[in-house]
Amino acid sequence: MEKNRTMNLSDKYIASTYSRLPIVITKGNGCRVWDSDGKEYLDFVGGLAVCNLGHCHPNIVEAIKEQSNRLIHVSNLYYTEPQAELAKLLIENSFADKVFFCNSGAEANEAAIKLARKYTKEKGKDDQPEIITMTNSFHGRTMATITATGQEKFHKGFEPLLPGFTYVPFNDIQAIEKAIDRKTCAILVEPIQGEGGVNCPSDNYLKGLRKICDNHGILLIFDEVQVGLGRTGTLFAYEGYGVKPDIMTLAKGLAGGVPIGAMLARKEVVESFSPGSHASTFGGNPVVTASALATINTILKNGILQNCIEVGEYFFKKLTQLKRQYPFIKEVRGKGLIIGMELEFDGGDIVKECMDRGVLINCTMGKTLRFLPPLIVTKGEVDKVIRVLDDMFSGI
């Protein structure tokens, strides 16, 4: 009865912006969640790359409890300790010199877009500055970030879009070179396209972008909202590719499940933001920054990155073995624990059947099954998912 009540209330009172699966999640622990009927699920969606340490990790729970008892919120007109400590931790472990805190990946990308434009104008380029983004990219749901997103399905119904964006194919250096003109101020790219189907760059693509940006005096922005915070086996994805951006955006896995976003940048660039030029009421809230501190420290000190590498390689190998068995699996691609399996047919029914069998997975771009388990996942838990997929595929 409670399940039906929750679903009915949601359908009646919440805007219909999601196609929800018919279960009510009530509890989570580690890589597992339970629904209102008490059924257990192995969660390989992980809040869409949010729950990097799994559900209700004790370090995160304790940090939230402790901070909530001291101070929940205060205006950014004042200093707070957890915000300052988080900033220090992020900067000391990245290329950047300063960070701006907000509440989501979309807001972080919005800040990056604003900063790139402001910096460029302050450098004397008064033409309308344009940003190059990639087809099949995803950067958020605000007006600026859906315009930056190179997928028409997200644009539909929201025209006119914000001017100043040009789209080129992902992984195509020549297309970038052709698109650059005197108005170009930045290139915005996901090191791995998540929502676009887990599309990975070729070996020299990101290095090529860095070289182009240096040659043309423009900014390189990495959207690491989905692939940052250990997801690819390094704290930040750019580290694994040997390329440093000028600006980087983070969110999702940054605070273990509570809302936060961050935009990091080099000193020369970020100095274009001055008091009043940008702000966020809840950005860097004491509770979420305390949670983020616990999250990052746990990732760095508890062998999480090594587990991501080892289990990610194991999972990739097992999925590749399935590909050899079933010709309708077109490709397996990914890095660390962001992995996609592209099928020759729509994957929606596979997602639903996996759920019925106690495994939560996701499908993007219609045909790509996307796996984003917590970075604490074990090989045994991977084996369960493989068994479920193998059993389903054998009946197709």
Side-chain angles (χ1 to χ4, degrees), residues 17 19 134-142 145-159 161 167 193-199 346 362-368 370:
T17 56
S19 296
M134 313 304 147
T135 53
N136 293 326
S137 60
F138 182 82
H139 299 292
R141 304 276 188 170
T142 65
T145 56
I146 63 162
T147 307
T149 294
Q151 298 189 54
E152 286 188 13
K153 66 183 181 182
F154 293 111
H155 300 167
K156 215 167 182 182
F158 299 109
E159 302 86 354
L161 301 178
Y167 314 111
Q193 291 187 329
E195 195 68 31
V198 192
N199 303 315
D346 187 272
N362 171 247
C363 182
T364 188
M365 299 301 285
K367 298 180 179 180
T368 300
R370 178 173 45 168

Side-chain angles (χ1 to χ4, degrees), residues 1-143:
M1 193 68 182
E2 285 302 313
K3 172 183 175 180
N4 290 336
R5 172 177 165 78
T6 299
M7 292 171 61
N8 289 337
L9 286 175
S10 298
D11 292 342
K12 183 176 181 179
Y13 295 113
I14 299 176
S16 302
T17 56
Y18 299 96
S19 296
R20 300 180 195 265
L21 292 164
I23 56 174
V24 177
I25 304 296
T26 59
K27 185 176 73 170
N29 183 266
C31 294
R32 287 169 166 75
V33 294
W34 287 262
D35 69 13
S36 53
D37 296 324
K39 182 176 178 178
E40 179 183 305
Y41 301 84
L42 190 54
D43 184 8
F44 270 50
V45 178
L48 289 176
V50 169
C51 304
N52 282 7
L53 294 178
H55 296 276
C56 300
H57 191 285
N59 293 359
I60 295 173
V61 172
E62 183 58 33
I64 292 172
K65 281 183 179 178
E66 184 179 329
Q67 184 58 48
S68 295
N69 280 326
R70 293 173 57 200
L71 179 68
I72 291 178
H73 183 73
V74 68
S75 169
N76 276 319
L77 295 172
Y78 313 101
Y79 295 98
T80 59
E81 182 182 338
Q83 186 183 100
E85 293 296 337
L86 177 60
K88 178 177 182 286
L89 187 61
L90 286 170
I91 298 311
E92 288 183 347
N93 285 280
S94 74
F95 72 94
D97 297 302
K98 288 198 173 184
V99 58
F100 168 80
F101 290 117
C102 50
N103 308 288
S104 68
E107 287 184 35
N109 284 329
E110 187 90 16
I113 290 165
K114 288 180 68 174
L115 179 59
R117 287 188 169 188
K118 196 167 189 297
Y119 170 79
T120 300
K121 285 180 181 279
E122 289 183 356
K123 296 292 281 186
K125 295 183 180 180
D126 290 329
D127 293 314
Q128 289 184 344
E130 294 186 348
I131 297 174
I132 297 173
T133 68
M134 313 304 147
T135 53
N136 293 326
S137 60
F138 182 82
H139 299 292
R141 304 276 188 170
T142 65
M143 283 306 299

